[in-house]
Amino acid sequence: EAILKIENLKKVYPDGTVGLKEINTTIHKGELIAIIGPSGAGKSTFLRSINRLNEPTSGAVYIGGENICEAKGKKLRMIRRKVGMIFQGYNLIKRSTTVQNVLHGRLGYMSSLKGGFGRFSEEDTKEALDILMRVGLEDQAFKKAGDLSGGQQQRVGIARAIAQNPDLLLADEPIASLDPSSSEKVMSYLKTIGKEDGITTIVNLHQVDFAKEFADRIIGVKAGEIVFDGTPRELTDYT
Ligand code: ADP
Ligand code: ADP
């Protein structure tokens, strides 16, 4: 089952830099895809074009059959609600608690702030705690997100994305700022939760070894083009 279909996707930045030459690919439900390639290859442009965080110049991106490139207003918001995002810099509200940050995913930012300490509905709080348990952070629930370690903050990032109940999860260099052991943890939570919930996950990675360890499929990008597409076993001499 194709969850994502990308056709002739192209990005030229306003200064003329070609970010993506022409991308064509189909991605199936439940797969964990790693996008690899050197700095400047177009990984981030690729990933951010999928939910139009970065506006493509031309082409089509079908998410669950709907072309997000042609969607506007309510339709666009509905498609985006099914796409979770995880960032290299975590993008948490540092002064808010872990639970509040998780509920940003579920309720949206304003409603999650209204909750204050322990003032969410019991159902919302329970939902957040359940999700935090899945990333091993139930004992950090009422700490300020900014007081957690980098690896813990990224696991909150995963929890927040999961709380949104997405079909597709986009992670842009989620482990680039983490040490190897935190990176292992973040990648294995991404993989396990993705498989349990049937979420399709696309992860940009600098580190080929992590791609080989965790991905079902690896897409290699260079100079804005796909130069490799296959399983980790098929990736032998990629540099
Ligand atoms: P990293 O590889 O660490 O993500 P990048 O250099 O790719 O860093 O991008 C950092 C930021 O600068 C991004 O927001 C990107 O869009 C922007 N950027 C990258 N290259 C250029 C460029 N040539 N001109 C303008 N902005 C750029
Ligand atoms: P990667 O994520 O693989 O490091 P990027 O997608 O960030 O690559 O960048 C792809 C190309 O697009 C690079 O040449 C980069 O300099 C350029 N680029 C990225 N963002 C911008 C921008 N905002 N303006 C101009 N060029 C950009």
Side-chain angles (χ1 to χ4, degrees):
E1 191 190 341
I3 173 89
L4 182 67
K5 200 165 187 312
I6 297 176
E7 288 178 357
N8 307 323
L9 187 70
K10 220 173 135 176
K11 173 68 180 186
V12 181
Y13 285 101
D15 68 355
T17 306
V18 178
L20 293 177
K21 277 184 188 147
E22 184 142 304
I23 299 286
N24 287 282
T25 191
T26 299
I27 285 169
H28 298 99
K29 184 172 157 61
E31 282 184 319
L32 194 155
I33 314 274
I35 299 176
I36 61 169
S39 206
K43 301 183 296 296
S44 183
T45 307
F46 186 175
L47 200 81
R48 288 163 184 256
S49 294
I50 294 171
N51 62 353
R52 289 174 58 193
L53 200 60
N54 186 327
E55 193 66 52
T57 305
S58 59
V61 176
Y62 295 93
I63 300 176
E66 308 252 34
N67 185 0
I68 189 173
C69 297
E70 286 183 346
K72 291 188 204 119
K74 197 174 172 188
K75 180 83 171 272
L76 179 60
R77 286 197 299 277
M78 268 176 60
I79 301 173
R80 279 194 170 138
R81 204 175 298 153
K82 300 310 273 177
V83 183
M85 187 99 202
I86 294 171
F87 302 90
Q88 174 176 347
Y90 326 124
N91 289 21
L92 303 179
I93 313 289
K94 290 188 192 308
R95 292 165 55 192
S96 294
T97 65
T98 302
V99 162
Q100 275 175 325
N101 272 280
V102 173
L103 288 172
H104 292 163
R106 186 171 145 95
L107 305 173
Y109 176 64
M110 287 315 287
S111 357
S112 64
L113 277 187
K114 269 194 285 187
F117 273 99
R119 302 226 321 273
F120 297 113
S121 76
E122 246 175 73
E123 192 199 341
D124 286 335
T125 306
K126 187 179 178 306
E127 172 83 17
L129 291 172
D130 283 350
I131 295 170
L132 283 169
M133 194 161 330
R134 298 183 71 191
V135 294
L137 288 178
E138 62 277 18
D139 52 351
Q140 310 290 327
F142 299 101
K143 271 199 193 158
K144 280 187 184 150
D147 292 340
L148 304 183
S149 72
Q152 289 174 328
Q153 290 193 47
Q154 194 56 291
R155 281 146 63 196
V156 178
I158 296 174
R160 178 182 54 188
I162 296 305
Q164 194 184 325
N165 194 20
D167 293 329
L168 182 64
L169 199 52
L170 306 176
D172 196 3
E173 301 278 4
I175 58 172
S177 312
L178 301 178
D179 60 70
S181 106
S182 305
S183 298
E184 282 279 337
K185 267 194 190 162
V186 163
M187 286 305 299
S188 63
Y189 280 118
L190 267 182
K191 175 134 192 171
T192 311
I193 293 175
K195 295 296 170 199
E196 283 169 1
D197 293 4
I199 300 169
T200 307
T201 305
I202 308 179
V203 192
N204 278 354
L205 292 172
H206 253 81
Q207 310 93 320
V208 177
D209 50 337
F210 281 103
K212 284 190 158 186
E213 184 179 348
F214 290 99
D216 300 310
R217 174 179 166 195
I218 296 175
I219 294 178
V221 174
K222 246 183 214 174
E225 287 184 295
I226 294 179
V227 294
F228 174 86
D229 187 348
T231 62
R233 298 186 65 166
E234 287 164 347
L235 184 81
T236 48
D237 59 351
Y238 188 86
T239 45

